[in-house]
Amino acid sequence: MNVGVLDRPVAMSAYRVPVAFLTLGLVLVASVVVAVGFGRVPISAADQLAIVVDRLGGRSSTIDPRLASILLEIRLPRVLLAAVTGAALATAGAALQGLFRNPLADPYLVGVSSGASVGAVLTLTIALPPTLYAAGVVQLAAFVGAVGAVSVALLLARAGGRTSVPSLLLAGVAVAAIGGAVSSYLLFFHGERIFAAYAWLLGGFNAADWALLGRVALPVVASAVGLVALGPSLDLLQLDEDAAKALGLRVEGAKLATIGFASLATAAAVSAAGLIAFVGLVAPHVIRILVGPEHRTLLVLSAIGGGAFMVLADLVARIALPEGDLPVGVVTAAIGGPFFLALLWSRRGQLA
Amino acid sequence: MIGPGIAIHRAWVTVGDRALLADVTLQLRQRELIAIVGRNGAGKSTLLRLMAGFLEPSRGEVVLEGRPLRAIAAGERARRLGFLAPARLPSPAGYTVRQVVGWMRFAHHSWWRATGADDASVAYAIASLELTGLAERRLDTLSDGERQRVWLAGLVAQDTEFVLLDEPTSHLDPTHAIESLRTIRSWATAGRGVAIVLHDLDAALAVADRIVLVDGGRIAFDEPVARVPLDELGRRLGIRLAEITLDGRRRVLAQGLGGA
């Protein structure tokens, strides 16, 4: 073991946290500006600012109205949906890694992904009236499926007023397997719908508009606030449950609240944007390396960092395939995987 | 009938039809240190967990200064009663000594953040265990002995009237074990009520005011140190004990190793 590396202080400098806040905040703003500006019709940062200020002020814009409409109706909701989704997944991932005391935990661990898949695949394979699709039935079904799957896993893991964290993990795996079987069955008998379902599963922001953004942002912001408030409790849960209880933590309440908020945020994100891989797993690790493991800071910075990462990933997807819809999940995994490997390599033995 | 401090009155703890503790009565007052001894599986840790309020007695009751322990909210309980099983605690990666000692103030501040008073308590606790130089080090880079002192510092920061410790000296070399026991003894002298589960009988007799022997889920005896019946203690533990006097103090040795 390399003692020199292990000894390197992690949360030593008093400036570390504010510097990380500032840097990641600037990265997020910059990625939004670049992502909103990029496209077949480029929009400069100055024009973006003018359009948004004019709109907020209710004035008629001095800028080309076509530009304003591209910005306000297409680009901005899409980019903001990407930011909210990334923030939701990263925050939920950080919270569940803390709750399970497991660096491999991710937001999809307790059945959210398979539940959402069943809901989405079900509505995509059975032929429903087109008006229902336009009204967002796929997103609704995915959300209901995700929440339903977590509830089943939670029900199985609870006994005598206590939630066993290892049982929850196992129940989540079982629920995921059942959900996977149902999705596969549906797809097998509706081969003609496989492409649509697969594209949904890989994730993307093509469905973005202000209404969808609103429906996703509300539960995500509420859950993120809840999780950040649970930060100190998640720190205590790093000890054993007796010790946390002895320090005055209502352990069962903290566990249930963490699972509830993390699942709500994830379900909302997944219902709008599909199963985007890797962000919820990797983003919290990167933040932990930057500022240490204390959860209050970790959760806030994960939201900012995850949001920025997702905006950039969606931008890459749009650059790579300008005319088409490269699923953003492919990009997050393709960028996130090697990046994470490099990180592991440079920090051997330090992540867990 | 039920006096001050933490009092267990005729309590039973049963799991299924097995009694882990049977008809146990015990009292811990402030300004005293009791050592709970007994074989593995005798019920020592169960007894400590019962005193901490983690277990509900199936019969009998546990009270803190006259109030049933289960009726006291988690936060207030944590401000009055500390519990730690240091040997069973993990050392979560990446947290500093100061952060971990700060956790022990959880019940003293709002759910959101510590106050200046908490920071001062933490600094005092760290200094009192001579950890100031290690305050910004990561807990998972410390030695077992240093980490032990961190947990004791945490109990200082938690600042409770009562402290319950399960095997605070296991994993420690003799120097650190003696150091830890001195610290714990000083808490009792300063006014806290302390109960420790201990396997080292000689150490128990040296630091405690009373020895409580748990055998088969029952309290075999609860005696002031000077009146502890060594023959019964040895018989119950299944070892032969020898008594010697060293520097005018009564010492106890376990026999059985080394040929004789």
Side-chain angles (χ1 to χ4, degrees), chain A residues 265-300:
Chain A
T266 309
V270 163
S271 70
L275 298 180
I276 299 170
F278 229 65
V279 179
L281 175 69
V282 179
H285 284 295
V286 176
I287 304 295
R288 220 175 266 121
I289 287 171
L290 291 177
V291 295
E294 208 178 33
H295 280 89
R296 231 175 11 189
T297 314
L298 174 68
L299 288 161
V300 176

Side-chain angles (χ1 to χ4, degrees), chain B residues 232-248:
Chain B
E232 186 184 355
L233 185 59
R235 188 161 42 76
R236 297 263 190 183
L237 295 177
I239 49 175
R240 271 190 311 137
L241 295 176
E243 188 179 344
I244 59 169
T245 304
L246 199 63
D247 293 339

Side-chain angles (χ1 to χ4, degrees), chain B residues 21-253:
Chain B
L21 289 178
D23 199 15
V24 169
T25 296
L26 181 68
Q27 187 157 19
L28 172 65
R29 298 173 198 81
Q30 281 187 274
R31 207 174 292 283
E32 75 174 349
L33 194 162
I34 66 175
I36 300 169
V37 300
R39 297 184 193 225
N40 289 336
K44 305 182 297 296
S45 296
T46 309
L47 179 59
L48 211 63
R49 286 164 49 80
L50 181 68
M51 294 171 84
F54 299 156
L55 297 173
E56 279 291 312
S58 39
R59 258 193 279 164
E61 60 181 335
V62 186
V63 299
L64 174 59
E65 307 291 4
R67 283 161 68 203
L69 201 49
R70 76 186 125 71
I72 300 176
E76 186 193 340
R77 198 179 60 201
R79 285 189 296 273
R80 306 186 59 181
L81 197 163
F83 167 93
L84 220 50
R88 287 206 294 272
L89 288 177
S91 38
Y95 290 98
T96 65
V97 169
R98 188 184 302 281
Q99 284 172 329
V100 171
V101 174
W103 295 351
M104 312 291 272
R105 299 287 300 173
F106 184 75
H108 288 272
H109 53 70
S110 75
W111 56 275
W112 178 238
R113 66 175 306 132
T115 64
D118 294 307
D119 294 344
S121 298
V122 169
Y124 168 77
I126 286 173
S128 77
L129 270 292
E130 288 167 19
L131 287 164
T132 307
L134 301 177
E136 308 305 331
R137 280 271 301 276
R138 285 172 50 161
L139 185 69
D140 54 336
T141 65
L142 302 185
S143 72
D144 285 345
E146 290 166 336
R147 209 172 296 149
Q148 191 79 3
R149 267 154 60 211
V150 172
W151 297 124
L152 293 182
L155 286 171
V156 171
Q158 196 179 350
D159 191 20
T160 52
E161 298 144 51
F162 298 95
V163 177
L164 312 173
L165 276 160
D166 199 349
E167 297 193 38
T169 56
S170 56
H171 297 256
L172 292 190
D173 63 34
T175 320
H176 287 115
I178 289 171
E179 224 172 70
S180 297
L181 287 173
R182 274 176 189 277
T183 304
I184 293 164
R185 174 68 240 182
S186 74
W187 295 344
T189 307
R192 304 170 94 177
V194 183
I196 52 178
V197 168
L198 216 51
H199 280 298
D200 182 340
L201 298 175
D202 185 49
L205 284 164
V207 297
D209 300 306
R210 272 157 54 215
I211 304 286
V212 176
L213 173 66
V214 182
D215 188 16
R218 291 175 181 273
I219 290 184
F221 66 70
D222 175 358
E223 294 285 353
V225 166
R227 287 213 301 271
V228 168
L230 283 190
D231 47 342
E232 186 184 355
L233 185 59
R235 188 161 42 76
R236 297 263 190 183
L237 295 177
I239 49 175
R240 271 190 311 137
L241 295 176
E243 188 179 344
I244 59 169
T245 304
L246 199 63
D247 293 339
R249 223 171 53 71
R250 180 194 195 202
R251 307 299 300 266
V252 180
L253 298 173

Side-chain angles (χ1 to χ4, degrees), chain A residues 12 24 47 53 58 76 78 82 106 115-116 122 129 159 161 204 269 326 328:
Chain A
M12 275 16 18
L24 284 171
D47 284 353
V53 166
L76 207 50
R78 179 186 183 115
D106 80 354
L122 190 67
L326 178 62
V328 70

